[in-house]
Amino acid sequence: MTAIRDCAESIASQNPESFGAVTELLDSQQWFIFTRVLLYLLGNSPTAPLNLIVHYSTQPFLFSEVTVRHEYSLLLKNRFRVLTNAQQGAVLKMIENGPDKLSYVKAMTRSNNEAPPAGEVDAYVRGWKLDWLSFIADDLQGEWMGLYEALQEELPPPSHPEFPYFMTSTFGLGGRLLQAAPRSTGEADSKTIESLLDQYRRNTHEGSEPTGTDLDHLLEELQMVAEANPQSVLERLSEISMLPPRYLAVIATALANCAGGADNNLISAVMRLGTAAAESIRRTEDLAERERLRSSLTAVLDQFFRDDSQPLGAEFLHPLREMAKSLLSTVDATSESRGHGGSEDFDPLFWAINSPDGRILENAIKLALRARKLQGDIDYVEPAWLLQMLSDILSTIPPDEVRITAILGYRFPWLMHLSKTWATENADRIFPRSPECRWRWEAAWCTYVAFSGAYDDVLEALSSQYAKAVDEVSAKHVFKKSRLDPDQGLAQHLAVYYWRQLITLRHPMLVKFLTLGGKRPVSSFISHIGRGMSQVKDIPPNVTDSLRGLAEWMTSSWRPRHRDTSKALAAFGWWFPHQFLGDPNWRLKTLGGAMRRAGNAENMDRVLKELDLLASEKPALVIECLKGLVEKAPKESSFYFLADSSFGIMEKAAAVANPSTRVKIADIADYFGANAHFEYRRFAQTSSE
């Protein structure tokens, strides 16, 4: 990722006119790591356009997205001063609104089983505001500066405020903050499995087994010692196996962190301890105990299914399945059905994969896939245990639930791979289309189409869902403030299906999409095909014919409902350099038709290089395309880029052009000259002689 950042930074600095294209490419990727690179460029590159700085600085979903906080906060620190008063006010309003207090109260309640007092919540809010104001302290004025100074006097200075504080200190019990007193390095080093077992025996003999914070402290020590010396656990495994489930689960987590997939003795110990702990999940009525077991055993499964390439013998599938089944039995689809509170400002998949239920569901599906891989297609038996438990969950799921729904939508292609029959029969339950299930539909569909690839059999199973999405293209979506862009994802899926000939130019779904879609989704459809052309070596003639037919129809006969949508034809700039599409005449006429309607071209650098190559061979068509670009180019970076790049094209064309083409060359020269590019004067003089 460092290489991508450096490459993007180099392109943006050397070719400022390409900043928009770099931004669009990064923004089109469906993972936050690319958003981080984008925000880094906007915050640090001297060539960053003001309109992009403004757009990304004032986005609520970026303000609340924890995974991009570092880069977003530095963007504010470096660029807040260039925003207008209204734009600065939008940022300050988000700070004024404060953090999500409900989530904070829930997290702290899970930590010690009782809600924090109101004063503690208020202190958290004030500290949160101090963190955010510290980013823009140099540019604060009036009341905001007064608030910042008051908070400075009241609270200790922020420590790395660009990093969320709650990520700074966690351990295997679900990643929550510990209240244990700090210990010296010597004290920590002196702890051993033997001493901790002795401590446990003394406590239980005296009837004083630790609880609350003391229990958390002991469990933390057990995990650290077991990770530091896993061999000592193996040596006393029989004795350790007699401990209560809470201890077994934590030690299993520690060993899983050390196993690495290569040490069967460690893995066997993990399975033994984890299975024993899992058996008690359904029996325990202590909610805190149950949550400890869920968190620790989920962490165990995380270790084995984080990387699909990690080897795992078939002999371990049964104990892993027992753990997964026990965990799935604790998933409650109704527990936080209204946890989003009707808010549009969050990403359902990000919420899902960071929740215990979401991780449990994800790991169970990964386990079933691993089992299928080990069985092979010939001996494959569908995972009845998983399918039945998923059916049970779906039968209780409320109409506004989003966490579990997001996971099932995201992993629907995996479910198809596990059981095409089950997935097809349950498609309408996972992607419910009724109005009362709007939240569930959006959570499932948005995550599926944004983060999952396009698969042939899935198109058939979700035909009704694709049709619904096409009917609603460019309409308002529930998660409008999140990073999810279902219209763009739909466009890219349709582009893949068109390339594979699964839908044709006359397919009702594609016709409706191109009729109803706005500029952004239609542009994504065209550009996704164009970008993909460079990744394919052998393109069948029938695919080439269908691509040519699409280009000819869209540049000549296509009539979208929204006039602005015609600007999406600029994306044909990604098609133009590919010679397999046709001879130079066809490619230049297609580009010219697209430019006349769009007034611009994406992939401008490659387009101009190709025009330069064809200028001597096809001067009339080349100049016609160039004239269309120059006359409609805005007086911004794209115009100056054209002025810097067109001289060689015009020089080659002028050497072989006929009189009518020379007149057009003179028109371009006059246009450049009127904007202070006097180096083009020679073309105006030559053409007039």
Side-chain angles (χ1 to χ4, degrees):
M1 191 49 63
T2 301
I4 294 177
R5 181 202 64 191
D6 293 345
C7 179
E9 191 171 21
S10 175
I11 293 173
S13 61
Q14 296 178 16
N15 300 291
E17 69 286 342
S18 66
F19 205 105
V22 172
T23 300
E24 182 178 356
L25 178 60
L26 291 170
D27 192 53
S28 68
Q29 307 305 309
Q30 302 295 341
W31 298 103
F32 280 115
I33 189 67
F34 295 98
T35 307
R36 294 177 59 192
V37 174
L38 170 57
L39 297 177
Y40 172 83
L41 288 179
L42 292 174
N44 293 275
S45 175
T47 61
L50 179 59
N51 63 318
L52 294 179
I53 292 174
V54 171
H55 174 74
Y56 287 96
S57 297
T58 55
Q59 290 298 309
F61 83 89
L62 292 175
F63 181 86
S64 60
E65 180 52 61
V66 65
T67 57
V68 302
R69 176 162 171 177
H70 177 65
E71 287 74 18
Y72 177 73
S73 61
L74 294 180
L75 169 63
L76 288 183
K77 184 175 183 178
N78 295 334
R79 305 300 193 190
F80 185 78
R81 61 184 59 91
V82 306
L83 304 181
T84 65
N85 289 338
Q87 292 158 358
Q88 290 183 351
V91 175
L92 292 170
K93 181 63 177 177
M94 292 188 287
I95 298 176
E96 180 184 359
N97 291 339
D100 183 354
K101 291 190 286 187
L102 180 60
S103 295
Y104 174 79
V105 170
K106 285 183 177 180
M108 293 300 101
T109 301
R110 291 193 190 102
S111 178
N112 56 19
N113 224 18
E114 53 184 57
E120 180 182 328
V121 177
D122 185 55
Y124 162 69
V125 173
R126 295 197 305 276
W128 182 92
K129 290 185 177 182
L130 176 61
D131 285 350
W132 279 103
L133 292 174
S134 69
F135 304 139
I136 54 177
D138 293 341
D139 304 298
L140 292 174
Q141 298 179 2
E143 295 181 0
W144 283 103
M145 175 56 75
L147 173 62
Y148 175 65
E149 292 175 345
L151 291 174
Q152 271 190 310
E153 294 180 3
E154 175 188 352
L155 301 170
S159 177
H160 302 294
E162 71 274 15
F163 293 103
Y165 82 97
F166 50 81
M167 299 289 286
T168 59
S169 178
T170 63
F171 82 113
L173 299 180
R176 49 189 172 76
L177 285 174
L178 296 176
Q179 307 297 324
R183 292 169 289 123
S184 67
T185 303
E187 180 185 353
D189 291 342
S190 67
K191 298 291 185 180
T192 64
I193 285 291
E194 290 79 2
S195 64
L196 291 173
L197 289 175
D198 288 342
Q199 178 183 341
Y200 168 76
R201 282 192 292 268
R202 286 196 304 272
N203 289 338
T204 54
H205 179 71
E206 297 169 359
S208 58
E209 184 177 350
T211 59
T213 300
D214 291 334
L215 176 59
D216 287 343
H217 190 177
L218 177 58
L219 292 174
E220 179 195 10
E221 288 181 324
L222 267 175
Q223 180 169 340
M224 290 191 300
V225 170
E227 286 186 6
N229 189 1
Q231 191 60 37
S232 66
V233 176
L234 297 182
E235 292 172 355
R236 308 193 67 166
L237 190 59
S238 297
E239 184 179 354
I240 289 172
S241 299
M242 303 303 294
L243 294 173
R246 64 176 72 98
Y247 299 96
L248 303 184
V250 167
I251 296 174
T253 303
L255 297 184
N257 292 338
C258 303
D263 191 328
N264 278 2
N265 290 330
L266 281 180
I267 297 177
S268 296
V270 172
M271 303 306 167
R272 177 176 173 180
L273 299 176
T275 304
E279 291 174 353
S280 68
I281 287 182
R282 304 179 195 182
R283 298 194 303 268
T284 182
E285 296 180 359
D286 185 329
L287 294 181
E289 175 75 355
R290 185 174 176 143
E291 193 60 30
R292 285 191 185 96
L293 293 172
R294 274 167 44 95
S295 298
S296 294
L297 293 177
T298 299
V300 170
L301 295 182
D302 284 345
Q303 287 298 321
F304 289 108
F305 300 119
R306 181 174 288 115
D307 181 5
D308 187 58
S309 64
Q310 182 179 2
L312 188 66
E315 68 273 17
F316 299 123
L317 290 179
H318 176 73
L320 286 170
R321 184 165 59 246
E322 292 306 304
M323 279 186 265
K325 288 168 64 176
S326 294
L327 289 168
L328 270 178
S329 70
T330 69
V331 171
D332 182 2
T334 67
S335 62
E336 294 186 41
S337 62
R338 296 184 182 274
H340 48 77
S343 171
E344 302 166 338
D345 190 11
F346 75 101
D347 182 331
L349 182 59
F350 179 78
W351 187 22
I353 62 178
N354 285 282
S355 70
D357 285 348
R359 289 164 61 204
I360 288 170
L361 208 61
E362 175 96 341
N363 282 328
I365 298 173
K366 287 182 178 180
L367 171 60
L369 285 171
R370 184 70 63 88
R372 167 158 194 172
K373 184 177 181 180
L374 290 173
Q375 290 174 3
D377 291 337
I378 297 178
D379 299 323
Y380 175 62
V381 177
E382 292 185 355
W385 65 274
L386 173 64
L387 302 178
Q388 182 57 56
M389 297 188 83
L390 293 182
S391 296
D392 293 342
I393 290 172
L394 284 171
S395 67
T396 63
I397 202 164
D400 59 351
E401 197 281 334
V402 298
R403 292 172 302 118
I404 293 170
T405 298
I407 293 292
L408 294 176
Y410 173 42
R411 294 309 189 189
F412 188 80
W414 288 9
L415 296 173
M416 282 284 293
H417 188 58
L418 292 171
S419 175
K420 185 174 182 179
T421 300
W422 184 91
T424 302
E425 291 176 350
N426 286 276
D428 283 336
R429 300 173 74 191
I430 296 173
F431 300 90
R433 290 172 285 151
S434 61
E436 60 269 21
C437 292
R438 184 67 189 182
W439 280 93
R440 285 195 56 214
W441 154 260
E442 292 271 356
W445 179 257
C446 289
T447 51
Y448 161 69
V449 81
F451 297 111
S452 296
Y455 297 91
D456 297 0
D457 55 349
V458 177
L459 173 62
E460 180 182 357
L462 296 183
S463 58
S464 299
Q465 282 73 19
Y466 275 103
K468 174 179 171 65
V470 168
D471 287 339
E472 298 177 356
V473 67
S474 297
K476 176 184 175 181
H477 293 281
V478 166
F479 302 111
K480 65 179 183 178
K481 295 183 180 180
S482 78
R483 188 179 188 276
L484 297 178
D485 190 341
D487 290 344
Q488 183 175 339
L490 172 64
Q492 294 177 356
H493 276 220
L494 294 180
V496 173
Y497 293 138
Y498 186 82
W499 182 283
R500 295 176 185 167
Q501 307 291 285
L502 295 175
I503 58 175
T504 66
L505 187 54
R506 296 183 179 180
H507 195 290
M509 188 162 61
L510 182 58
V511 171
K512 184 177 287 188
F513 171 80
L514 294 175
T515 301
L516 301 179
K519 175 182 176 293
R520 183 176 174 85
V522 175
S523 177
S524 295
F525 172 78
I526 300 171
S527 64
H528 196 65
I529 294 176
R531 293 172 191 266
M533 291 177 185
S534 60
Q535 302 175 20
V536 181
K537 294 182 179 179
D538 298 320
I539 301 176
N542 64 320
V543 175
T544 301
D545 292 342
S546 69
L547 295 175
R548 286 169 58 93
L550 175 65
E552 291 169 359
W553 175 71
M554 293 195 72
T555 56
S556 60
S557 305
W558 174 53
R559 294 293 180 266
R561 176 172 296 183
H562 308 289
R563 180 179 300 177
D564 187 61
T565 306
S566 295
K567 295 180 180 179
L569 292 173
F572 275 111
W574 295 100
W575 293 41
F576 176 60
H578 297 286
Q579 299 180 13
F580 78 89
L581 288 171
D583 58 36
N585 282 336
W586 185 90
R587 290 188 291 127
L588 286 166
K589 288 178 181 178
T590 301
L591 179 68
M595 296 311 99
R596 280 191 295 273
R597 298 184 65 183
N600 195 10
E602 295 181 14
N603 197 25
M604 184 74 79
D605 184 53
R606 285 289 307 278
V607 167
L608 292 175
K609 287 179 180 178
E610 193 69 17
L611 290 177
D612 184 72
L613 293 174
L614 296 172
S616 299
E617 180 184 354
K618 302 290 180 182
L621 290 173
V622 166
I623 292 301
E624 187 68 31
C625 290
L626 185 62
K627 190 171 185 287
L629 289 173
V630 171
E631 289 181 346
K632 295 185 178 182
K635 300 299 188 298
E636 295 176 358
S637 58
S638 59
F639 176 80
Y640 297 108
F641 178 61
L642 280 169
D644 290 339
S645 307
S646 299
F647 192 91
I649 298 172
M650 294 171 63
E651 187 174 46
K652 292 178 181 178
V656 295
N658 58 31
S660 62
T661 300
R662 290 196 183 98
V663 171
K664 294 178 181 178
I665 293 174
D667 291 342
I668 297 174
D670 290 342
Y671 198 77
F672 281 140
N675 289 276
H677 291 275
F678 302 120
E679 66 271 22
Y680 285 90
R681 183 179 302 159
R682 56 171 292 192
F683 297 111
Q685 293 173 345
T686 300
S687 59
S688 62
E689 291 175 354

